[in-house]
């Protein structure tokens, strides 16, 4: 395969390369800017940066509100991931099972929460919660996040299952495993890395989610709600430090998840 | 320690012998298991029940339930239904929408805005996806892709916030332009359509990138070589071969981006101004604050949902594309 | 002796199409039995029904005297070697082989001993910590075989396990499979579409076509005494001479084939006088000569081509009415033939008259 003969000669190729880097700058620029600002020694946000400091980080790390929101978000993400993984895998097993009628419909319904626009999904969940006579708060948030996360688990698991040799489970059953043990012993380990990648993805979307939390949340703020409140309440440079910390953690975890799913796709 | 003299070596397993018969054997043998899951797994009906119960219940209750309730509430006169009344159904909530341009204009604005952002995302992201999938050295392809993915782990609000930092009156863009002597006083970049599209595009570019990349990567390079061999110029090759073959990616990318755009909530609140009120803000007002008119809000949500899905569905029908790649 | 496997009038239909049609089959313990037939003949379905992966539409399957028709695979004492081996990719060779033993609740040290013993049987000592991906095709094949043998099944089922190997390795594995079967004394049921495989290994071959048994018997009998045109054609190569029966004398039929008067043994289904029959003769049963041989069963033809292959020569002969006949001759017994007229003849005991 020769890339040279593909589509364009050299001039357009340079153009494409330039375009790519411009796009990278567009994506990374604002974030890098934010990083830089987090070291600025002034109480207001403005350029240029004259003095550098780590004060904002010290402040953030001691900020009870931030820490509490962070822990709360982690807790919700953890619960969401557990529920979404169990239910998502279960639904995938149903969709991939033999002799199940109406698989296309099942798959479409399983993916429904992923195609409903976020705002409308949040409102429908808010209404659902009050129809059930539930309180808004932690349980409602976890439910909302789980509903949103399940389709992604289903899609990831089904994609991975498609590469599984058809008779691995047959072999396990043949050797004396009933269908549940065959699932635990063969299917789950096979899903392994892809599933972990999917779980991290679930956790990150949960930590990131604003609109559902906004409608379903109680008085205790999650991380995005805290940032939202701070941004609306005026620009404190503290937000820069806070956001930088969050970005570094989530990007590292995200990269790890990406590597896991990529590796599982190769093997 | 002389391992050779270890008497255990000739008898049972030594320390480094593989340990077999782990938890699974004990689990399968335990009576607790045999009388619960083991019993269910024995019969075909039991296996079917294990497979069906939770998924079906979950899908019906949590996937269909909320949308169904949304639809139901949208026809109610009042919600919560006051004690003593039967909760009559009515079209009145829908009529409110058409009665006043205060609602109708943001609705249309919302759809047009989403369509424009989708188109812009397609035009901007396509060359990038193409570059990563076909032009860049295959060994560096993963890195080139990851560089684009990393910002998306930052999350919706943080990215929106970083856009504010860039575009604010004393933000980086204005400071830079003033330093260069291009402007005397800051030009307002924030709280208008520019900042809104800039920010939303920033949020949704990934949803366009991934489907496009997946579709373009699948196009066999020799097809294009063959076309070039037959005398097709670059533009003809793009129009006749690459574009049609990446149609699946275009369809799913555009549908995904459009549906996401319609539902963005936080960014318009933070990046938009009084002149850019779009529909989600209107809907949100019915659920917060004093005007506790949920049925009206529900009706508006339904209108939005149906319109958004209809447009996305129509788009897919017109442009076409294979079933399997939609939304994946 | 009671058969170890008994298919009692078993039918399996998919929609309206029967994949297996009223199958009656008894298999003796300790034998190497091959189900042979073209793809879609029902042999794999038969195997999967015995394994428990398909439920018969009607009929019963008896295994070691027990009706297992509706039992799930994990509760039958049979194990399968799958076509693509189906080794668990995330487990070591040892863990793969131990899988069935663990589920039987065997103690760890006993499992260890059994795994070691089985690996020795196929000369894979020291491989127990390898992953399946690190093995060659032939090694995977052996591990799959040992994994299926480990839980000590009543019957071992093999679903075209050699089809993924290259020709040389396949021949080697055929011999190894047969010797493992003999050493363990297990009943092997082997499914294949490859007649050579079937002839090499089997004690008994069951030839299936369209969901039914065409014929069964030991390899020699099947080769020498095919009972139908299908079997004669499927196992080995056969020349057919269609004709009408003129008379029947005991076990011998006299046939008029395009004017030639030919004599042949009758098949189990005896034709009557006046019936249309196919006279089947193997290429190696045909004797060629330059002059007309004495006696019946002599046909004149024209030698079209002779291909010398070392241990035999392959002759293509055209009969006057255009029919092509293949013959194999021993090059040590003749000096080759000149193109042109040639005489064919065969012993009447080497020819069978099959009712068309």
């Amino acid at each position: 395969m020769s890339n040279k003969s593909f589509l364009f000669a050299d001039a357009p190729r340079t153009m494409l390369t330039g375009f790519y880097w411009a796009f990278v700058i567009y994506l990374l620029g604002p974030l890098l800017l934010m990083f830089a600002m987090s070291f600025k020694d002034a109480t207001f946000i403005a350029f240029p940066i004259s003095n550098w400091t780590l004060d904002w980080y010290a402040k953030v790390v001691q900020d009870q509100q931030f820490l509490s929101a962070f822990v709360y978000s982690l807790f919700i993400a953890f619960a969401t991931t557990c529920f979404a993984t169990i239910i998502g895998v279960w639904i995938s097993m149903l969709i991939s099972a033999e002799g199940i009628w109406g698989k296309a419909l099942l798959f479409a319904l399983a993916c429904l929460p992923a195609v409903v626009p976020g705002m409308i999904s949040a409102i429908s969940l808010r209404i659902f919660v009050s129809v059930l006579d539930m309180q808004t708060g932690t349980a409602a948030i976890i439910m909302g996040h789980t509903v949103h996360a399940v389709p992604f688990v289903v899609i990831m698991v089904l994609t991975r299952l498609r590469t599984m040799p058809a008779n691995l489970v047959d072999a396990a059953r043949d050797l004396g495993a009933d269908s549940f043990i065959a699932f635990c012993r063969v299917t789950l380990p096979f899903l392994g890395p892809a599933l972990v990648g999917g779980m991290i993805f679930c956790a990150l979307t949960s930590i990131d989610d604003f609109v559902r939390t906004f409608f379903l949340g109680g008085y205790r703020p999650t991380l995005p709600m805290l940032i939202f409140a701070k941004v609306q309440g005026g620009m404190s440079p503290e937000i820069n430090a806070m956001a930088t910390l969050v970005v570094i953690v989530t990007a590292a975890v995200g990269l790890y998840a990406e590597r896991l799913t990529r590796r599982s796709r190769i093997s | 320690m002389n391992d050779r003299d270890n008497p255990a070596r000739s008898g049972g397993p030594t320390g480094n012998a593989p340990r077999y018969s782990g938890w699974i054997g004990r689990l399968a043998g335990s009576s607790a298991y045999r009388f619960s899951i083991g019993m269910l797994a024995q019969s075909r009906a039991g296996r079917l029940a294990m497979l069906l119960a939770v998924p079906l219940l979950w899908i019906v209750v949590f996937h269909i339930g909320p949308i169904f309730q949304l639809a139901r509430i949208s026809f109610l006169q009042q919600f919560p239904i006051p004690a003593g009344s039967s909760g009559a159904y009515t079209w009145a909530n829908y009529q409110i929408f058409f009665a006043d341009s205060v609602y109708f204009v943001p609705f249309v604005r919302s759809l047009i805005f989403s369509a424009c952002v989708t188109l812009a995302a397609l035009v901007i992201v396509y060359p990038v996806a193409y570059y990563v999938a076909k032009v860049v050295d295959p060994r560096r392809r993963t890195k080139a892709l990851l560089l684009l993915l990393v910002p998306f782990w930052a999350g919706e609000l943080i990215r929106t916030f970083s856009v504010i930092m860039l575009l604010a009156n004393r933000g980086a863009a204005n400071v830079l332009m003033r330093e260069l002597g291009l402007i005397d006083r800051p030009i307002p970049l924030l709280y208008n359509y520019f900042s809104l599209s800039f920010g939303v595009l920033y949020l949704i570019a990934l949803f366009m990138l991934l489907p496009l990349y997946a579709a373009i990567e699948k196009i066999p390079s020799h097809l294009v070589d063959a076309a070039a061999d037959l005398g097709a110029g670059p533009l003809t090759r793009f129009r006749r071969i690459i574009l049609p073959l990446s149609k699946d990616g275009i369809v799913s990318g555009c549908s995904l981006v459009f549906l996401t755009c319609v539902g963005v909530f936080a960014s318009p609140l933070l990046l938009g101004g009084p002149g850019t009120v779009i529909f989600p803000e209107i809907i949100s007002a019915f659920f917060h604050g004093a005007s506790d008119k949920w049925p009206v809000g529900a009706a508006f949500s339904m209108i939005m949902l149906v319109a958004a899905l209809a447009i996305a569905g129509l788009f897919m029908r017109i442009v076409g594309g294979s079933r399997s790649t939609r939304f994946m | 002796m009671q058969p170890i496997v008994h298919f009692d009038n078993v039918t399996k239909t998919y929609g309206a199409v029967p994949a297996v049609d009223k199958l009656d089959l008894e298999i003796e313990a300790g034998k190497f039995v091959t189900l042979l037939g073209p793809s879609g003949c029902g042999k794999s379905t038969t195997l999967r029904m015995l394994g428990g992966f398909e439920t018969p539409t009607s009929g019963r399957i008896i295994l070691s005297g027990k009706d297992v028709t509706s039992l799930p695979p994990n509760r039958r004492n049979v194990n399968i070697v799958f076509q693509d081996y189906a080794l668990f990719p995330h487990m070591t060779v040892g863990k793969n082989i131990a899988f069935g033993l663990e589920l039987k609740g065997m103690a760890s040290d006993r499992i260890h001993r059994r795994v070691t013993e089985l690996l020795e049987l196929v000369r894979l000592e020291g491989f127990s910590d390898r992953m399946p991906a690190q093995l060659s095709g032939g090694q995977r094949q052996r591990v799959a075989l040992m994994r299926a043998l480990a839980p000590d099944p009543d019957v071992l089922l093999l679903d075209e396990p050699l089809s993924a190997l290259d020709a040389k390795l396949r021949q080697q594995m055929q011999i190894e499979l047969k010797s493992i079967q003999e050493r363990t004394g297990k009943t092997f049921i082997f499914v294949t579409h490859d007649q050579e495989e079937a002839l090499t290994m089997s004690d008994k071959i069951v030839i299936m076509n369209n969901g039914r048994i065409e014929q069964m018997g030991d390899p020699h009998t099947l080769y020498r005494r095919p009972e139908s045109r299908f079997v004669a054609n499927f196992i080995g190569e056969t020349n057919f001479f269609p004709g009408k029966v003129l008379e029947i004398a005991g076990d011998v039929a006299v046939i008029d084939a395009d004017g030639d008067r030919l004599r042949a043994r009758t098949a189990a289904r005896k034709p009557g006088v006046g019936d249309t029959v196919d006279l089947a003769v193997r290429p190696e049963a045909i004797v060629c000569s330059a002059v007309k041989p004495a006696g019946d069963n002599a046909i004149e033809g024209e030698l079209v081509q002779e291909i010398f292959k070392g241990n035999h020569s392959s002759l293509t002969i055209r009969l006057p009415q255009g029919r092509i006949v293949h013959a194999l001759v021993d090059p040590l017994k003749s000096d080759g033939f000149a193109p042109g007229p040639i005489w064919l003849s065969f012993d009447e005991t080497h020819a069978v008259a099959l009712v068309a």
Side-chain angles (χ1 to χ4, degrees), chain C residues 84-255:
Chain C
D84 53 3
Y85 319 143
L87 293 177
F88 305 127
H90 56 284
M91 294 184 203
T92 61
V93 167
K95 284 271 183 189
N96 261 287
I97 298 177
F99 190 90
L101 302 173
E102 286 183 35
L103 284 162
K104 281 194 154 184
M106 204 182 263
S108 183
D109 53 338
R110 278 189 60 207
I111 294 180
H112 179 62
R113 250 176 287 148
R114 177 106 174 108
V115 169
T116 313
E117 177 190 306
L118 286 167
L119 283 173
E120 272 164 16
L121 185 66
V122 285
R123 300 182 314 280
L124 286 175
E125 303 91 340
F127 277 69
S128 74
D129 288 333
R130 301 258 186 116
M131 298 307 274
Q134 298 169 292
L135 302 182
S136 71
Q139 289 167 338
R140 272 180 227 183
Q141 167 72 72
R142 292 193 200 111
V143 173
L145 184 65
M146 288 308 115
R147 185 180 68 177
L149 274 177
D152 200 25
D154 291 343
V155 179
L156 189 77
L157 311 178
L158 302 103
D159 189 5
E160 309 215 15
L162 305 182
S163 56
L165 304 177
D166 62 57
K168 200 174 168 196
L169 200 54
R170 199 178 325 166
Q171 283 182 352
Q172 211 178 310
M173 280 306 296
Q174 286 170 13
I175 296 163
E176 187 161 344
L177 263 183
K178 179 65 184 159
S179 95
I180 289 171
Q181 190 265 333
E182 278 165 358
R183 266 183 289 166
T184 56
K186 284 262 173 269
T187 313
F188 278 33
I189 302 182
F190 186 92
V191 159
T192 184
H193 62 267
D194 183 323
Q195 47 123 348
E196 191 207 314
E197 253 171 47
L199 292 174
T200 311
M201 296 184 288
S202 318
D203 296 318
K204 182 177 175 183
I205 299 176
V206 179
I207 297 183
M208 295 184 71
N209 188 29
N210 293 328
R212 290 165 182 273
I213 295 176
E214 281 280 339
Q215 190 178 349
M216 54 186 163
D218 65 88
H220 281 101
T221 314
L222 277 179
Y223 191 82
R224 289 196 187 149
R225 297 173 174 268
E227 292 288 343
S228 66
R229 209 188 142 105
F230 176 83
V231 173
N233 229 349
F234 199 79
I235 289 204
E237 200 193 343
T238 305
N239 294 302
F240 292 106
F241 302 90
K244 269 202 162 48
V245 177
L246 297 174
E247 56 184 276
I248 303 274
D251 279 345
V252 175
V254 181
I255 294 143

Side-chain angles (χ1 to χ4, degrees), chain A residues 94-116:
Chain A
L94 176 63
I95 293 176
S96 64
E98 272 174 49
I100 294 293
W101 177 86
K103 281 184 186 184
L105 179 71
L106 263 179
F107 179 69
L109 286 177
C111 292
L112 183 67
V115 286
V116 173

Side-chain angles (χ1 to χ4, degrees), chain B residues 82-161:
Chain B
S85 93
S86 58
Y89 290 94
T90 170
W91 282 100
N93 303 320
Y94 287 89
Q95 281 156 3
I96 292 173
F97 174 76
F98 294 101
D100 198 336
S101 68
V102 166
Y103 302 131
F104 194 71
V105 170
F107 172 74
V108 173
R109 195 187 281 159
S110 212
L111 291 182
I112 292 176
F113 171 74
S114 300
C116 291
V117 170
T118 307
L119 189 68
L122 178 65
V123 172
I124 293 172
V125 174
Y126 198 99
V128 176
Y130 183 85
Y131 174 81
V132 177
K134 286 293 173 197
V135 180
V136 81
D137 183 347
R139 274 166 299 171
R140 265 177 281 159
R141 188 164 294 156
T142 308
K143 277 193 189 120
L145 192 61
L146 280 181
L147 199 55
L148 299 176
L149 292 188
V150 165
F152 291 96
W153 295 117
E156 185 185 357
L157 274 168
I158 291 176
R159 271 182 291 155
T160 306
F161 172 66

